[in-house]
Amino acid sequence: MQLNLLLRQQFVLLVRVLRLVPHPVYLPGVVGGMTSRAPGRHHKVQGNEEHQVKAINAVGLVKAYSATPVLQGIDLSVEAGAVVALLGPNGAGKTSLVEILEGHRMRTGGHLSVLGLDPADRRDFRLLRRRMGVVLQQTMLEPGISSRDLLRRQASYYAHPMDLGEVLRKVGLEDKQNGLVRTLSGGMRRRLDIALALVGHPEILFLDEPTTGLDPLSRRNIRELIREVNSSGTTVILTSHDLDEVQDLADTIHVLAAGQFIASGSPENIIAGSHSTTQVRFLLSGIEQASLPTGGQVSGGFVHYETHDQDQLMAALQRWSSETDQPIQGLTVIPPSLDDAYANLLEPAATTGGK
C-alpha cells in the first residue's frame, strides 16, 4: 500500500518535471526560456504603460476537487519585473494556485494569463514553458551526468542561453562542474536546480523554497542571485516558509488561507496591518519595580514591554526616567517582523483542506 502511494507520488512529480521540458525529450530538473525580455523594476518602461502585458493576470480563479473548494475566486495581478511572494499554511490552496499559474494543473473556473498566454491552453503552454523557469521543491536530476553536461544540454534548447561558466559561477558550482550529480550534496543539487532554471534567461521564474537545505552562506548568495536576476527584468514568484527570506526579497506579499487572500501588500504594509506588537526591554538594575510605568513585566533581570504604539511607550519611558532620575540602561527595541505578522494573520483563519 505504502509502496503504491510512493510510486504514484513519484509518477506525478515525473510528469510535472517532463512538462517543463521545452522539447519532447526527457530532461530532468527545471527549465528556463527566452523570447523577449520583460522590463525589470530598475528599468524604464517604454511606451504606454496601459498596453504593457502583465506578468500574471488572474481574475476569479476557482479550483475544486470533487465537491471540495480549494481556491475561491482568487484575483492576482503581477507587474512585469516584480518579486511576489505567495504565503499560506499547509492546506490553504497555495500549491494548487502555483501549479495552475505554471500550467501544471487545470483550473475549475476563472480567467488567467501568464505573459499574455493561457497556461491551460495546450498551444499557449508550449510557448509559455520556453519563457519561464521553475525551481520545484523536489526535483529529479539524472545521477549519472555531470553538472556542466546537464546545463549544456538544457542550454541547447534556447536561442540565447547564458554562458555555462557564468551560470556555474553564479551558483557556486565551478569546482563541481565535472562531478557527477550523484556526488553532489543536497545543497549543491539545490544550487544546480536553480542553475537549470536560469540558463535559458526566463522572463518569469517560479521559486518553491529555493534555499531549502542550503547553508547560511549559500542562502545569502542565492538571495543575491535572485536580486540580480530580477534586476535584469525577470519576474519572480516566490513561495517559502523562510519569512526572513520573503521579507528580504519580496515587493508584494499575498497571504492565502482557506482558498482566499486574507492579506496583500508590501512586507511593511502586511506587518503594519497585522496588529503585531513591538517588544521593548531594558535592564532592571537599580530600578524599583513598583515605580515602573504601567504594563512592564520583570523577568531575568530585564523589564519587558509589549506595545502597539512604540512612540507612545517610548515617550512614557522618557518621562518616567526624567521624573525618577532613573537611567534606562541596555535598551532594546524589537519591531514586529513578518513572522509575527504572519502568525497574527493566521490565528483566526482556518483551512478547508486545500492543497
Side-chain angles (χ1 to χ4, degrees):
M1 186 77 170
Q2 291 179 341
L3 177 59
N4 289 336
L5 178 60
L6 177 60
L7 289 174
R8 286 199 298 270
Q9 291 173 338
Q10 290 177 337
F11 177 75
V12 170
L13 178 59
L14 176 59
V15 170
R16 188 178 175 193
V17 169
L18 287 174
R19 293 199 71 201
L20 293 172
V21 183
H23 292 260
V25 177
Y26 172 61
L27 180 58
V30 291
V31 64
M34 174 179 178
T35 52
S36 60
R37 299 309 307 275
R41 286 183 295 173
H42 308 297
H43 291 246
K44 184 178 180 180
V45 177
Q46 300 295 329
N48 189 337
E49 291 186 2
E50 293 182 358
H51 291 85
Q52 297 295 326
V53 175
K54 292 183 181 295
I56 296 175
N57 188 33
V59 179
L61 278 189
V62 175
K63 180 63 181 177
Y65 297 96
S66 298
T68 304
V70 174
L71 298 177
Q72 305 182 55
I74 292 291
D75 295 334
L76 177 63
S77 178
V78 177
E79 298 292 336
V83 180
V84 174
L86 302 175
L87 304 182
N90 295 334
K94 183 173 78 273
T95 298
S96 292
L97 174 58
V98 171
E99 290 181 349
I100 289 170
L101 297 178
E102 295 170 349
H104 300 134
R105 191 175 295 275
M106 298 296 290
R107 61 186 182 270
T108 304
H111 301 279
L112 172 64
S113 70
V114 177
L115 302 180
L117 301 168
D118 183 351
D121 180 87
R122 186 181 296 272
R123 182 176 299 176
D124 278 5
F125 179 74
R126 285 199 298 267
L127 298 173
L128 179 61
R129 64 182 178 178
R130 299 170 186 266
R131 300 170 62 185
M132 71 176 179
V134 179
V135 177
L136 304 176
Q137 188 170 3
Q138 294 179 328
T139 55
M140 300 171 66
L141 300 173
E142 288 179 283
I145 189 171
S146 72
S147 300
R148 187 175 186 87
D149 286 343
L150 193 56
L151 273 175
R152 182 185 292 114
R153 187 174 66 181
Q154 183 82 337
S156 70
Y157 296 112
Y158 304 100
H160 304 286
M162 293 179 66
D163 176 76
L164 298 187
E166 180 185 2
V167 179
L168 288 163
R169 177 185 57 79
K170 287 178 180 294
V171 298
L173 289 176
E174 286 177 296
D175 295 339
K176 299 292 184 179
Q177 60 181 291
N178 295 318
L180 299 182
V181 170
R182 68 165 61 96
T183 68
L184 301 180
S185 67
M188 290 177 182
R189 293 188 189 194
R190 195 58 178 165
R191 283 182 269 164
L192 181 56
D193 288 337
I194 294 171
L196 288 165
L198 296 179
V199 72
H201 281 300
E203 292 179 55
I204 186 167
L205 180 62
F206 291 90
L207 298 173
D208 189 356
E209 304 288 350
T211 59
T212 296
L214 298 183
D215 61 84
L217 180 58
S218 294
R219 285 201 299 271
R220 185 174 68 179
N221 291 339
I222 292 301
R223 290 182 190 180
E224 288 300 323
L225 177 57
I226 293 170
R227 291 191 193 93
E228 180 182 338
V229 170
N230 173 247
S231 69
S232 71
T234 298
T235 304
V236 177
I237 307 300
L238 172 67
T239 57
S240 176
H241 290 295
D242 184 344
L243 298 189
D244 288 337
E245 180 173 88
V246 171
Q247 188 170 351
D248 186 30
L249 293 173
D251 303 318
T252 303
I253 296 170
H254 299 280
V255 182
L256 188 68
Q260 298 177 323
F261 287 141
I262 60 171
S264 297
S266 68
E268 294 77 17
N269 288 339
I270 292 289
I271 292 170
S274 70
H275 306 294
S276 300
T277 59
T278 296
Q279 310 291 319
V280 177
R281 74 174 189 176
F282 51 90
L283 288 170
L284 179 63
S285 179
I287 297 175
E288 291 292 334
Q289 183 174 348
S291 71
L292 288 168
T294 303
Q297 302 292 325
V298 176
S299 175
F302 284 89
V303 181
H304 300 261
Y305 284 90
E306 288 189 17
T307 180
H308 291 289
D309 191 335
Q310 176 183 329
D311 293 339
Q312 184 180 49
L313 174 61
M314 294 308 298
L317 289 175
Q318 288 173 354
R319 287 195 302 271
W320 167 81
S321 177
S322 176
E323 292 169 359
T324 61
D325 198 27
Q326 291 275 12
I328 299 177
Q329 298 179 326
L331 177 66
T332 302
V333 178
I334 305 174
S337 66
L338 182 59
D339 193 283
D340 299 322
Y342 181 74
N344 284 346
L345 285 168
L346 291 179
E347 277 183 355
T351 62
T352 59
K355 297 184 179 180

